[in-house]
Amino acid sequence: MPNMTMTKTPMPEQKPDVRNHNFEEVALGYTEEMAVGEAQRCLNCKNKPCVTGCPVMVPIPEFIAHVANREFEEAYQVLTKATSLPAVCGRVCPQETQCESKCVRGIKGEPVGIGRLERFVADWHMANSKEAPKKPQQNGHKVAVIGAGPASLTCAGDLANMGYEVTVYEALHTAGGVLMYGIPQFRLPKEIVQKEIDGLRAKGVTILTDMVIGKVLTLDELFADGFEAIFIGSGAGLPNFMHIPGEGLVGTYSANEFLTRVNLMKAYRPEYDTPILRPKNAAIVGGGNVAMDAARTAKRLGSEHVYIVYRRSEAEMPARAEEIHHAKEEGIEFRLLTNPVAIHGDESGKVCSIECVEMELGEPDASGRRRPIEKQGSNFELPVDCAIIAIGNSPNPLIPANTSGLEVNRRGCIVADEETMATSLPGVYAAGDAVSGAATVILAMGGGKKAAKSIDEYIKSKNA
Ligand code: FAD
């Protein structure tokens, strides 16, 4: 049945009071009937405003038209011309500020559920396609890729398709970057990311884990090994702290550490012996996706009270609207216009409370958001045994520190040309969070794509 209403076909979901006790995926995905009905809401506009909202210019109306005609494999083929990780993007892209924000349907009602349809098509392909990825004919040229997050996986995939012999060097024991260690299972099942990685291997990409470039091997050594170009997609995995008293107490984590212990070290599975605190009450400092993920994870580990402590109001929160909505439904308590000033410990050095002050909003600051101002004398304490800091991440300085001539900006991000992703060193390209600072999966993928194209041109011109 076509969906003729002003609203998106609702996404089937686990009930909030059930899902906040398990790590299964929250959103269950459209059925074929739901997808076809939703696809029929697309007006197939001539000027395709949705495409302009997508950082990798997915031909959105074209893939949706195939869904409307039940041509799901054709829809997948269209999608994957522009994005190599549709099952991931369909789940985690901030569509509400990208493609869906430009949808004409959104003027009078809700936009077409583009992300939900993307996810449907990708999942349908995974469940139904029998065709194994083919290993492209190799062209005899070697490229090294550093890191195995979405920027690197995209770059490696595109280069492999062009015939390059690609070796990926990943610091952790598992490939996938934030998709594996950061974003929780209940938002992005790891099996999906693993399938994408297996697909790359099937195309002939070699992935070496436990390889910290800058320590184990330098860029010069990679060149000396016969790689003609290097791509750096080392992300932004260095957590920022508030530098308030008490950040060293037992029970204080960076969100990255907390999430890595749960996701990558499988702390959520009883048969795993991962050391992690299962907090009784936890305060998460921050208002982005990372904060929401940490809060919802703490809840699932059994916390009674989980507080989001954020110094501005909900309107300024950088997290996706859907994540905020899901967090609230699951019982996360929002302490807005609240800023921590100290974390207090008991006599054994364990966190026992977080001291905060109330804030009010003043004039907009350089970020365009209203500046939070402290209300003098408004200090109060929240009794918690765990404080998780989720106020942002910076690029890890290891590679720039060990690579002479690799230019970085004052935020520690590798400087790369916006179009070619070329760095200050010949033959070295970079993209993703390592260049932009903490951003999004789709932007990292877009950068990885541009870099693959530039690397191909660079190697061809060198060998012409
Ligand atoms: P990463 O994914 O960080 O991958 C970099 C990889 O490089 C890592 O595997 C790292 O181990 C490896 N590496 C680092 N240094 C070295 C070295 N010296 N040698 C070898 N390997 C190295 N974005 C969204 O679009 N939607 C979301 O919902 C969303 N939620 C998020 C939730 C969390 C908890 C976090 C942390 C981020 C989230 N993001 C989200 C942001 C998004 O995940 C990142 O922007 C994206 O993963 C960046 O991709 P990348 O490839 O540049 O880096």
Side-chain angles (χ1 to χ4, degrees), residues 92 147 149-151 170-171 177-178 187 211 213 233-235 293 432-433 439-441:
V92 305
E170 165 56 46
V178 171
R187 270 211 303 132
M211 293 294 282
I213 301 303
S234 49
D293 283 344
D433 284 5
T440 60
V441 172

Side-chain angles (χ1 to χ4, degrees), residues 414-429:
I414 298 173
V415 176
D417 182 273
E418 262 183 44
E419 282 314 309
T420 64
M421 311 319 289
T423 69
S424 53
L425 291 175
V428 179
Y429 296 78

Side-chain angles (χ1 to χ4, degrees), residues 29-48:
Y30 278 169
T31 61
E32 288 188 10
E33 289 317 310
M34 289 171 174
V36 171
E38 182 62 17
Q40 288 171 349
R41 289 183 70 225
C42 176
L43 301 171
N44 213 337
C45 309
K46 228 181 187 163
N47 57 347
K48 309 179 195 333

Side-chain angles (χ1 to χ4, degrees), residues 437-457:
T440 60
V441 172
I442 192 79
L443 285 173
M445 286 174 52
K449 239 183 164 19
K450 284 184 191 171
K453 185 168 168 276
S454 304
I455 289 172
D456 178 49
E457 285 164 4

Side-chain angles (χ1 to χ4, degrees), residues 99-322:
C99 53
E100 292 182 15
S101 74
K102 310 271 181 190
C103 175
V104 171
R105 276 269 182 202
I107 298 170
K108 285 204 177 142
E110 282 186 358
V112 174
I114 300 169
R116 294 173 182 182
L117 291 173
E118 180 179 17
R119 169 191 165 144
F120 167 79
V121 169
D123 288 0
W124 187 94
H125 173 84
M126 275 195 196
N128 294 286
S129 169
K130 306 274 175 290
E131 212 178 308
K134 288 191 194 79
K135 191 173 168 183
Q137 173 108 37
Q138 293 204 327
N139 64 14
H141 297 284
K142 283 175 35 167
V143 180
V145 169
I146 303 173
S152 296
L153 296 179
T154 304
C155 185
D158 281 13
L159 287 168
N161 288 340
M162 294 177 210
Y164 288 93
E165 192 185 318
V166 183
T167 305
V168 176
Y169 294 90
E170 165 56 46
L172 296 174
H173 63 276
T174 303
V178 171
L179 308 181
M180 278 296 196
Y181 80 73
I183 304 178
Q185 177 79 7
F186 56 82
R187 270 211 303 132
L188 178 63
K190 303 306 149 216
E191 302 72 32
I192 286 171
V193 186
Q194 192 54 51
K195 273 201 180 157
E196 304 287 3
I197 293 164
D198 294 345
L200 270 190
R201 285 205 169 99
K203 279 185 195 168
V205 174
T206 303
I207 302 178
L208 302 177
T209 53
D210 300 314
M211 293 294 282
V212 184
I213 301 303
K215 279 273 179 219
V216 180
L217 288 171
T218 63
L219 268 64
D220 284 343
E221 285 169 327
L222 289 173
F223 278 126
D225 269 354
F227 292 106
E228 291 174 65
I230 298 174
F231 173 75
I232 308 175
S234 49
L238 187 70
N240 300 338
F241 283 92
M242 301 190 69
H243 305 293
I244 57 173
E247 278 182 314
L249 290 166
V250 178
T252 302
Y253 291 91
S254 70
N256 262 20
E257 180 187 347
F258 185 72
L259 290 169
T260 303
R261 280 176 191 259
V262 177
N263 294 330
L264 209 56
M265 298 166 75
K266 305 268 189 293
Y268 63 93
R269 296 205 359 215
E271 68 272 26
Y272 280 72
D273 221 6
T274 317
I276 187 143
L277 178 71
R278 289 173 182 270
K280 186 162 185 305
N281 301 308
I284 323 298
V285 182
N289 286 324
V290 183
M292 298 304 139
D293 283 344
R296 297 170 70 196
T297 296
K299 193 79 184 170
R300 282 163 172 76
L301 288 178
S303 297
E304 223 166 276
H305 292 283
V306 180
Y307 305 103
I308 285 282
V309 177
Y310 181 58
R311 62 193 183 132
R312 303 180 199 244
S313 73
E314 187 169 328
E316 287 83 25
M317 276 194 154
R320 293 183 61 196
E322 184 178 271

